[in-house]
Amino acid sequence: MLLLGVAVWAEAQTGVCVRVGDEAVDVAEFRLFCHRQNDARPDVRRFVDFKLKALAARQAELDTLPQIRRAVDRFRNRWLKACLTDSAKADSAAWTYYQGLQARKYAGRVLVSHIFQSVPQNVTAAALARVEQRMDSLYQVLEAGEADFTACVEACSEEKTPFWVDYLQMPVEFEDVVFSLPVGQLSRPFFTPQGIHIVKVLDRKELPSFDVLKERLERRLVRGEWSEAVSARVVRLKTEYGYRPDKAGMNELLRRGKTDKTLFLLGGCPYSGDDFARFAAAHPAALKRQLELFVVKTVLDHESRSLGEQSPEFATHLSLFRDSLLAAEMEHRAIGCLIPADTVGVAQYFEANRKHYQWPQPRYEGIVLHCRTKRIARRTRKFLKKLPVEEWQEAIRLGVNAGGVVNVRAEQGLFAAGDNPYVDEHLFGKGEARPLADFPYTAWLGRKVKGPECWQEVGRRLWTDYYRHLEAGWLDELHRKFKVEINQEVLKTVNNH
């Protein structure tokens, strides 16, 4: 019986706690959600609402948005880094890399101008050769002093404005060149994933400290850009996933520049010349270098995909992170971006719920007039009574205080007890306000009100309530649209976790 009880408990720890639509949600994700929300008592309704928003986002194909995919990739890469190198090795590799920058006298910022020709992703080998030949000829002319670099930038470059480059900001091929050039020197033509460049360094600044660059250095190492720790891990991963190069396909690719044959097997999956061609189109470089990078990227991508199978913890964190992005984006599109312009809706909501916005005590809506003489106070009050409230201030400025002489100082608004000592004394019978030295006569014009008469007088609280009202209606629609099943037996384990 004890063993049976343990088995049931163990099953519950990893069981399905909720089904939203056709999606089953593991109890581990609910636990993580509660932990992130700091819920002392787990709220399954809030969790179901969260998953419904994410499901609606997937049905709207928001998971294909570039910003969502980039954020998920960054999250996955952080986990991949932890798998590729432990913390000590990562710090050591980053420090070694930083020392290398110092030894090569890399600067933190470099001001550059370049002659740049982009290379389309679907460029043919012949077209690529023509671009390279044209840039080589241009370089020879510049090197011989037969042309002015600035004039060539204006005439031949797709990017004509000089710009600052921070280290670890541009592609490594670009940075390797510009950070090794002295100020004023011209580079030979070279490729980056964007195209081909001839660069001239105009100015440079000092390298930032290691603490400033550490995180970016580690990210670069994780991307497979040839740190010792990551390169060694890639070699081990090749063995682990059964990397088997196909010599016939490799040789044909290196000889002809393309092939239809299989290049290698990884994890039992074949990767062909067509797969390589898609990668190479986005990464212009020497063919052999492209092939090396393609193999490394394929190995790391395979490791990244395998993380979910090898690490349930990773799968849980990734699912919650992705759904958090999707739910927030879906909620913004369904409600958040619409509310600022929905003044008609918020006005109707205010009218339907006016009683909830009554004030605990009456307020004074009007104006307090501080006047130089009693006669001015009397005449000003009589004058303003004939005008709309919204014209009072302008009438005082142009009429009573005309000619640059200030006869009246006015305070207009909606005053609660404690907001204005003159209102407190005169209308609420609290305190004793001292008259102003140069304006000793005080007059009032306005009325007591028990609550706001229009939605503009309520402020942020009304907008927050209206947002929640729309959200509740939207969630009701989602609950009607998608079936929700809750496994109460599994949920009981969360309380005791």
Side-chain angles (χ1 to χ4, degrees):
M1 290 179 64
L2 177 61
L3 291 175
L4 179 61
V6 171
V8 171
W9 178 86
E11 183 181 41
Q13 298 304 300
T14 57
V16 173
C17 67
V18 173
R19 290 187 181 274
V20 180
D22 295 329
E23 299 181 3
V25 184
D26 192 273
V27 68
E29 186 173 344
F30 181 41
R31 289 198 190 98
L32 182 59
F33 176 84
C34 295
H35 176 71
R36 296 277 178 85
Q37 299 290 326
N38 292 319
D39 282 347
R41 298 180 62 185
D43 186 347
V44 67
R45 171 67 187 225
R46 185 190 300 180
F47 180 65
V48 168
D49 290 347
F50 162 73
K51 296 300 289 188
L52 282 170
K53 294 175 186 179
L55 179 57
R58 275 190 287 276
Q59 288 209 343
E61 299 185 345
L62 299 189
D63 51 340
T64 64
L65 292 175
Q67 63 268 30
I68 299 290
R69 300 181 69 173
R70 284 195 298 267
V72 171
D73 285 343
R74 286 194 297 269
F75 182 89
R76 181 182 288 109
N77 285 339
R78 289 197 297 270
W79 276 81
L80 183 58
K81 170 198 164 188
C83 293
L84 292 178
T85 57
D86 60 32
S87 179
K89 288 182 179 178
D91 290 348
S92 175
W95 175 244
T96 301
Y97 201 166
Y98 181 77
Q99 288 178 314
L101 303 184
Q102 289 180 315
R104 291 148 67 186
K105 297 183 180 179
Y106 275 31
R109 303 187 75 202
V110 178
L111 181 64
V112 301
S113 179
H114 66 158
I115 301 170
F116 168 61
Q117 290 291 315
S118 62
V119 178
Q121 293 187 359
N122 58 349
V123 65
T124 63
L128 188 62
R130 287 195 296 271
V131 172
E132 191 171 5
Q133 183 179 7
R134 187 160 58 247
M135 293 291 274
D136 283 336
S137 299
L138 188 56
Y139 173 75
Q140 296 297 332
V141 172
L142 289 167
E143 187 69 10
E146 299 174 5
D148 177 67
F149 179 78
T150 303
C152 288
V153 170
E154 284 295 323
C156 306
S157 180
E158 296 179 19
E159 189 167 34
K160 306 181 187 303
T161 306
F163 56 96
W164 284 97
V165 178
D166 291 325
Y167 199 71
L168 306 174
Q169 171 190 353
M170 297 290 287
V172 64
E173 298 88 351
F174 191 89
E175 293 177 352
D176 278 344
V177 172
V178 301
F179 282 96
S180 61
L181 284 175
V183 174
Q185 185 170 321
L186 203 65
S187 76
R188 288 183 171 276
F190 64 94
F191 281 103
T192 70
Q194 285 74 39
I196 188 168
H197 316 251
I198 299 174
V199 176
K200 185 175 184 179
V201 174
L202 307 179
D203 195 6
R204 65 169 63 242
K205 293 185 177 180
E206 293 298 324
L207 182 71
S209 68
F210 174 69
D211 290 338
V212 172
L213 290 182
K214 178 182 174 183
E215 185 176 348
R216 282 187 285 171
L217 286 167
E218 290 181 350
R219 284 202 302 268
R220 167 155 291 183
L221 296 177
V222 170
R223 287 200 300 267
E225 292 167 352
W226 310 114
S227 73
E228 180 181 351
V230 174
S231 296
R233 177 62 171 164
V234 168
V235 171
R236 292 195 297 273
L237 289 175
K238 284 183 178 181
T239 302
E240 182 179 336
Y241 295 129
Y243 171 74
R244 290 171 50 195
D246 187 309
K247 291 185 178 180
M250 292 277 196
N251 291 337
E252 181 173 311
L253 176 65
L254 293 175
R255 185 177 69 254
R256 296 179 52 207
K258 62 180 181 179
T259 183
D260 296 329
K261 298 179 179 178
T262 297
L263 298 177
F264 56 87
L265 295 175
L266 187 71
C269 298
Y271 292 86
S272 67
D274 292 336
D275 298 317
F276 169 79
R278 287 189 290 270
F279 171 84
H283 298 80
L287 184 60
K288 188 175 181 180
R289 172 66 171 167
Q290 283 180 321
L291 182 56
E292 292 173 346
L293 291 174
F294 175 61
V295 172
V296 171
K297 182 179 185 300
T298 305
V299 171
L300 294 180
D301 286 348
H302 192 81
E303 171 74 347
S304 179
R305 288 192 298 272
S306 300
L307 279 176
E309 301 172 3
Q310 299 174 0
S311 171
E313 182 185 7
F314 167 74
T316 299
H317 279 78
L318 180 63
S319 176
L320 188 63
F321 177 78
R322 183 192 292 112
D323 282 359
S324 296
L325 297 177
L326 292 174
E329 181 65 24
M330 191 67 205
E331 183 174 327
H332 172 70
R333 293 183 177 217
I335 304 173
C337 66
L338 305 179
I339 277 191
D342 190 13
T343 54
V344 173
V346 76
Q348 292 174 345
Y349 178 80
F350 169 74
E351 289 299 330
N353 298 275
R354 181 189 289 268
K355 63 180 181 180
H356 298 301
Y357 300 100
Q358 297 299 308
W359 300 312
Q361 296 179 341
R363 298 187 182 184
Y364 174 67
E365 184 180 40
I367 192 168
V368 180
L369 304 169
H370 303 281
C371 308
R372 288 192 180 275
T373 66
K374 185 182 294 187
R375 183 169 177 267
I376 291 175
R378 187 171 57 253
R379 293 182 59 184
T380 302
R381 190 175 184 280
K382 184 177 180 180
F383 172 55
L384 294 181
K385 288 177 72 173
K386 301 177 182 179
L387 300 176
V389 173
E390 59 271 15
E391 296 180 10
W392 284 356
Q393 291 284 356
E394 190 69 3
I396 291 172
R397 185 180 70 85
L398 297 177
V400 183
N401 292 336
V405 178
V406 179
N407 292 306
V408 174
R409 288 179 57 181
E411 301 174 74
Q412 184 176 353
L414 184 66
F415 303 96
D419 288 349
N420 185 291
Y422 301 93
V423 172
D424 288 348
E425 178 187 11
H426 181 71
L427 295 167
F428 299 121
K430 297 180 179 180
E432 184 176 348
R434 181 179 300 177
L436 299 181
D438 296 329
F439 304 88
Y441 298 93
T442 304
W444 296 264
L445 183 60
R447 61 196 179 97
K448 280 186 179 181
V449 288
K450 294 182 178 180
E453 297 186 347
C454 62
W455 64 268
Q456 290 92 339
E457 295 178 2
V458 180
R460 183 179 298 274
R461 178 190 165 195
L462 176 63
W463 286 104
T464 301
D465 292 346
Y466 184 54
Y467 186 101
R468 291 173 178 168
H469 166 72
L470 293 183
E471 182 185 17
W474 175 49
L475 286 171
D476 286 342
E477 291 180 11
L478 294 181
H479 276 274
R480 289 192 294 270
K481 182 177 181 181
F482 301 111
K483 183 179 179 181
V484 175
E485 297 178 0
I486 299 174
N487 188 335
Q488 296 292 348
E489 292 302 315
V490 173
L491 288 178
K492 289 177 183 178
T493 67
V494 178
N495 291 310
N496 300 322
H497 189 265

